[in-house]
């Protein structure tokens, strides 16, 4: 899904986002392997997405 941003943003941002998504995937995988539960990685991914969306919305709104 992150590759869809290639046409919407610059190459540098796309590469940075792809690298960070890869690293996050590795971290989520390690958490899953340690806990045996998908709920922890799912909750962390949701929290990350929620915080980014809230930050982007606040920045767009000028706050």
């Amino acid at each position: 899904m992150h590759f869809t941003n290639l046409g919407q943003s610059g190459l540098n941002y796309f590469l940075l986002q792809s690298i960070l998504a890869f690293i996050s995937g590795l971290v989520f995988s390690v958490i899953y392997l340690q806990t045996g539960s998908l709920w922890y990685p799912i909750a962390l991914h949701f929290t990350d997405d929620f915080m980014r969306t809230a930050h982007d919305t606040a920045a767009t709104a000028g706050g």
Side-chain angles (χ1 to χ4, degrees), residues 1-11 13-14 17:
M1 284 304 297
H2 295 275
F3 290 122
T4 61
N5 293 329
L6 180 57
Q8 299 174 357
S9 59
L11 181 60
Y13 180 77
F14 165 75
Q17 185 183 39

Side-chain angles (χ1 to χ4, degrees), residues 4-8 10 18 22 27 30 34-35 39 41 44 49 57 60-61:
T4 61
N5 293 329
L6 180 57
Q8 299 174 357
S18 297
F22 179 78
V27 170
V30 168
Q34 291 293 316
T35 64
W39 288 113
L44 287 172
D49 287 346
T57 301
T60 303

